[in-house]
């Protein structure tokens, strides 16, 4: 099973930026980012899939977040700009080798351990 390791989380003031990274052990076409705030369900944030690198985003982050990947470095990224306190949460990288969850932000079955993002007002 593919191994995923996130990094890049931290604390930032509202309006700031962070870039999350997810190093993966094997290339998977369908990969996504999720987040989970305390007491809330895990939600999809962004996904990238198929060989053309098509992307899509949750409405709450459109225009502020950008998902991308560098195949030469086996790394998935999430560039987060104009951060808001409501973006606070644990962020997870996910990979779906079969592509069956391509319409659901590539929701697993492989998951990373998560990286914490805290945005203060």
């Amino acid at each position: 099973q593919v191994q995923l390791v996130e990094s890049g989380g931290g604390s930032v003031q509202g309006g700031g930026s962070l870039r999350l990274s997810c190093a993966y052990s094997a290339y998977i076409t369908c990969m996504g980012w999720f987040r989970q705030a305390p007491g809330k369900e895990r939600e999809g944030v962004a996904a990238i899939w198929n060989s053309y690198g098509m992307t899509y985003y949750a409405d709450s982050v459109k225009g502020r977040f950008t998902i991308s990947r560098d195949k030469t470095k086996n790394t998935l990224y999430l560039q987060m700009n104009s951060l808001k306190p409501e973006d606070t949460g644990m962020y997870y990288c996910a990979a779906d080798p079969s592509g069956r969850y391509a319409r659901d932000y590539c929701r697993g079955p492989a998951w990373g351990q998560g990286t914490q993002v805290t945005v203060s007002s």
Side-chain angles (χ1 to χ4, degrees), residues 35 45 57 61 63-66 78-81 83 87 91:
R35 68 186 180 191
V45 174
Y57 301 87
V61 306
R64 301 188 298 122
F65 290 12
T66 302
L78 184 68
Q79 178 67 44
M80 306 187 295
N81 298 328
L83 282 162
D87 294 318
Y91 281 69

Side-chain angles (χ1 to χ4, degrees), residues 73-94:
K73 297 182 178 179
N74 277 13
T75 303
L76 180 74
Y77 300 102
L78 184 68
Q79 178 67 44
M80 306 187 295
N81 298 328
S82 301
L83 282 162
K84 304 175 182 179
E86 51 263 44
D87 294 318
T88 294
M90 186 71 77
Y91 281 69
Y92 299 90
C93 174

Side-chain angles (χ1 to χ4, degrees), residues 45-108:
V45 174
I48 185 167
W49 67 291
N50 78 26
S51 59
Y52 302 102
M54 292 182 66
T55 61
Y56 63 95
Y57 301 87
D59 288 343
S60 59
V61 306
K62 277 181 184 175
R64 301 188 298 122
F65 290 12
T66 302
I67 187 172
S68 63
R69 60 181 158 200
D70 186 335
K71 295 179 183 179
T72 65
K73 297 182 178 179
N74 277 13
T75 303
L76 180 74
Y77 300 102
L78 184 68
Q79 178 67 44
M80 306 187 295
N81 298 328
S82 301
L83 282 162
K84 304 175 182 179
E86 51 263 44
D87 294 318
T88 294
M90 186 71 77
Y91 281 69
Y92 299 90
C93 174
D96 172 20
S98 71
R100 74 187 296 185
Y101 298 112
R103 298 182 187 277
D104 191 14
Y105 300 93
C106 306
R107 185 183 292 269

Side-chain angles (χ1 to χ4, degrees), residues 7-64:
S7 62
S11 296
V12 64
Q13 285 194 327
S17 298
L18 284 173
R19 187 177 78 160
L20 306 183
S21 298
C22 172
Y24 49 85
S25 58
Y27 176 76
I28 302 294
T29 302
C30 189
M31 297 190 72
W33 285 98
F34 289 74
R35 68 186 180 191
Q36 187 167 20
K40 294 189 176 182
E41 291 188 356
R42 191 173 298 189
E43 62 174 355
V45 174
I48 185 167
W49 67 291
N50 78 26
S51 59
Y52 302 102
M54 292 182 66
T55 61
Y56 63 95
Y57 301 87
D59 288 343
S60 59
V61 306
K62 277 181 184 175
R64 301 188 298 122

